[in-house]
Amino acid sequence: MSYNVAFISLGCAKNQVNCEQMMASVQAAGHTIQTDPEGADVAVVNTCGFLASACEEAIDNILEMAELKKAGKLKKLLVTGCMAQRYQADVLGELPEVDGILGTGSYGEIVAAIDEVMTGGFRPCRLGNIHTAEQGGARILSTPPWYAYLRIAEGCDNHCAYCVIPSLRGKYRSRPLEELLDEAAELASAGVQELLVIAQDITRYGTDLNGEHQLAKLLRQLCKLDFHWIRLHYLYPDEITEELIDVIAAEPKIVKYLDIPIQHCNDGILKAMNRRDTKAELLALFEKLRARIPGLVLRTSLITGLPGEGAAEFEELCQFLREVRIERAGVFPFSPEEGTRAAQMEHVDMDEAKRRSELAVDVQSDIIDAYNESVLGLEREVLCEGFDAQAQMYAGRSYAESPDIDGHIYFTADEAVEPGTFVIVRLTGVMDGELTGEAVE
């Protein structure tokens, strides 16, 4: 039997890659992928379970699908991914509308699970080994055709005290170099212009295979392929090698934009959270990166209200931001996640953590405003992503903006600009915190 299957993917880009692989498996089995869950035989909600807020979003989506089932507009509902892995008993026990779940070790069993719910009246609960699950496989890209993600590893061995990822995704495992190069070559052949290299921690790539850092080696090979830009996401600060810095600085295809989550800068908090760096080391790293990579734009992630953070430690974090002037930062209030060591430690209440996150965002806004002012008058290469009807301008991204997290550059042009093409834009102004400009002939 052939079925119509709809997919909803929540959470991070790594989760999105899993969803793309499931879509390819389902299509290869003879089923049809449809974008709208209404009218589908099966809807698959691929969940994030990293934070309580992500679980709430997942439950909202599941309940929305449950309403479609109740109205007779959807036959079956499968839940996959991190929340299914983390709260399997709760999902099955408290959400009777869910017809089956697949954990993060069982994405490859999606076709069997669809057959089970459609034909057997089973309620599959497939929870394969999260440490050995297959990582590769065909994908149906769900990103716009001009960019795609290349996930180079799965899992994490860092075991930060606030984080549940190792228990959801397993131990760190790098994918073989040749397998990655084959997948990347396929993406380049499909017309992908911007390749985003992702993993929970890309700097550790290869160390589990032979003890050596191999990210620099991988990047040199990727730069030989027909990509215009290669972007790097999630570099762990103390794993950034001299060789890696040299490659990033020397290779014109690697955009001078690095996403280095630090979470905090206070030495006591970093140690309590099982981070392996100190404030002095972070300051030295950022200074070295800026000196070696001209035009570098930095992104980081920060958590306010972590155990050990009082008023003085929070002010230290704000002062650190002002000093380093990190251009992009995601700021999150501490969420005491069940099953983590940090949840057992004394910390400020959620309201105070949230208040501090808003104050840190204010500090960050000043830094972004100053950065935007500093680049006015410059010309930037911009990847056009389409025409924005509300702004009545084209919208695109330069090397300094990553998809989905950093906003756009809005620009005017005398001639039509096709999505997925590169144009040179002179930056002339700022609109609601985002840069504006005009295409240069």
Side-chain angles (χ1 to χ4, degrees):
M1 282 287 289
S2 173
Y3 305 113
N4 293 329
V5 186
F7 286 84
I8 296 166
S9 193
L10 307 171
C12 69
K14 299 177 289 295
N15 217 30
Q16 190 173 344
V17 170
N18 289 126
C19 198
E20 292 174 344
Q21 291 168 328
M22 286 194 289
M23 286 161 59
S25 298
V26 166
Q27 190 175 76
H31 305 305
T32 302
I33 307 292
Q34 66 177 58
T35 50
D36 188 352
E38 189 167 324
D41 293 306
V42 183
V44 180
V45 181
N46 189 33
T47 60
C48 174
F50 179 45
L51 297 171
S53 55
C55 293
E56 287 163 18
E57 183 192 14
I59 290 165
D60 288 344
N61 276 269
I62 291 166
L63 294 176
E64 208 176 303
M65 294 305 103
E67 287 301 311
L68 284 183
K69 270 184 79 179
K70 201 163 138 189
K73 296 175 181 175
L74 173 68
K75 290 177 185 167
K76 299 290 181 181
L77 172 58
L78 282 170
V79 175
T80 65
C82 288
M83 192 185 80
Q85 181 71 36
R86 188 176 178 188
Y87 293 119
Q88 55 223 238
D90 294 334
V91 173
L92 289 174
E94 296 177 28
L95 295 165
E97 305 88 350
V98 173
D99 297 295
I101 63 172
L102 299 181
T104 54
S106 296
Y107 288 113
E109 300 171 55
I110 183 66
V111 172
I114 287 170
D115 288 341
E116 283 174 11
V117 296
M118 289 304 296
T119 60
F122 295 110
R123 202 179 185 209
C125 175
R126 292 173 172 258
L127 300 164
N129 190 328
I130 62 172
H131 303 293
T132 58
E134 173 62 36
Q135 291 191 64
R139 294 160 61 188
I140 294 175
L141 295 184
S142 55
T143 48
W146 49 85
Y147 75 85
Y149 297 101
L150 180 69
R151 192 180 59 200
I152 65 172
E154 178 60 286
C156 189
D157 289 344
N158 289 325
H159 296 285
C160 301
Y162 48 79
C163 183
V164 297
I165 292 294
S167 64
L168 301 181
R169 291 284 180 167
K171 65 185 180 185
Y172 192 87
R173 9 200 235 290
S174 304
R175 292 176 62 192
L177 189 83
E178 292 307 319
E179 182 183 299
L180 290 172
L181 293 177
D182 288 346
E183 184 174 328
E186 282 182 32
L187 294 171
S189 302
V192 169
Q193 297 282 327
E194 179 180 12
L195 184 75
L196 291 96
V197 176
I198 59 166
Q200 203 61 39
D201 172 4
I202 63 172
T203 33
R204 195 183 281 261
Y205 175 74
T207 54
D208 58 309
L209 300 177
N210 68 353
E212 293 174 13
H213 288 86
Q214 295 184 51
L215 180 60
K217 179 181 174 184
L218 171 64
L219 292 175
R220 283 195 195 94
Q221 296 300 314
L222 290 175
C223 286
K224 294 175 183 174
L225 298 172
D226 195 18
F227 298 112
H228 196 87
W229 283 347
I230 295 173
R231 191 180 295 275
L232 310 180
H233 270 287
Y234 312 128
L235 296 97
Y236 201 96
D238 78 335
E239 299 274 345
I240 296 174
T241 63
E242 294 296 319
E243 182 191 18
L244 179 59
I245 297 171
D246 287 341
V247 170
I248 293 166
E251 290 285 359
K253 287 186 180 181
I254 300 177
V255 296
K256 309 317 177 207
Y257 170 109
L258 298 178
D259 189 341
I260 307 174
I262 62 168
Q263 313 308 351
H264 213 282
C265 70
N266 173 267
D267 286 350
I269 293 174
L270 290 171
K271 189 172 184 186
M273 295 301 102
N274 201 35
R275 302 287 292 185
R276 296 189 304 276
D277 28 55
T278 64
K279 181 181 176 181
E281 287 166 346
L282 291 172
L283 286 169
L285 173 66
F286 289 136
E287 189 178 345
K288 177 164 63 176
L289 291 172
R290 293 224 191 263
R292 299 259 289 275
I293 307 169
L296 177 65
V297 167
L298 291 168
R299 165 168 272 282
T300 196
S301 301
L302 303 168
I303 304 173
T304 57
L306 279 167
E309 187 189 76
E313 290 78 12
F314 174 65
E315 181 49 41
E316 185 183 350
L317 178 63
C318 293
Q319 197 51 44
F320 181 92
L321 279 176
R322 294 184 194 103
E323 183 178 344
V324 180
R325 306 201 71 72
I326 293 171
E327 289 83 358
R328 316 275 188 211
V331 186
F332 306 93
F334 173 60
S335 176
E337 292 298 318
E338 190 183 340
T340 63
R341 278 187 295 134
Q344 309 302 315
M345 300 177 187
E346 191 178 333
H347 54 84
V348 299
D349 64 39
M350 293 293 287
D351 288 342
E352 176 60 16
K354 188 165 184 293
R355 186 187 76 84
R356 290 181 191 174
S357 75
E358 288 163 359
L359 290 172
V361 167
D362 289 343
V363 172
Q364 192 56 31
S365 295
D366 292 341
I367 294 166
I368 292 169
D369 290 346
Y371 170 74
N372 285 343
E373 284 295 322
S374 75
V375 298
L376 293 182
L378 299 181
E379 292 183 0
R380 283 260 166 99
E381 185 179 44
V382 170
L383 173 55
C384 179
E385 298 202 295
F387 188 78
D388 188 288
Q390 191 178 356
Q392 284 296 296
M393 286 190 273
Y394 291 98
R397 294 179 292 104
S398 74
Y399 80 92
E401 293 87 28
S402 195
D404 294 333
I405 52 176
D406 289 327
H408 286 90
I409 292 174
Y410 294 91
F411 64 96
T412 56
D414 293 336
E415 294 178 11
V417 183
E418 287 298 313
T421 56
F422 288 88
V423 287
I424 302 299
V425 172
R426 183 180 295 112
L427 303 174
T428 57
V430 181
M431 174 181 71
D432 297 331
E434 297 188 284
L435 288 162
T436 61
E438 53 202 25
V440 177
E441 288 303 313

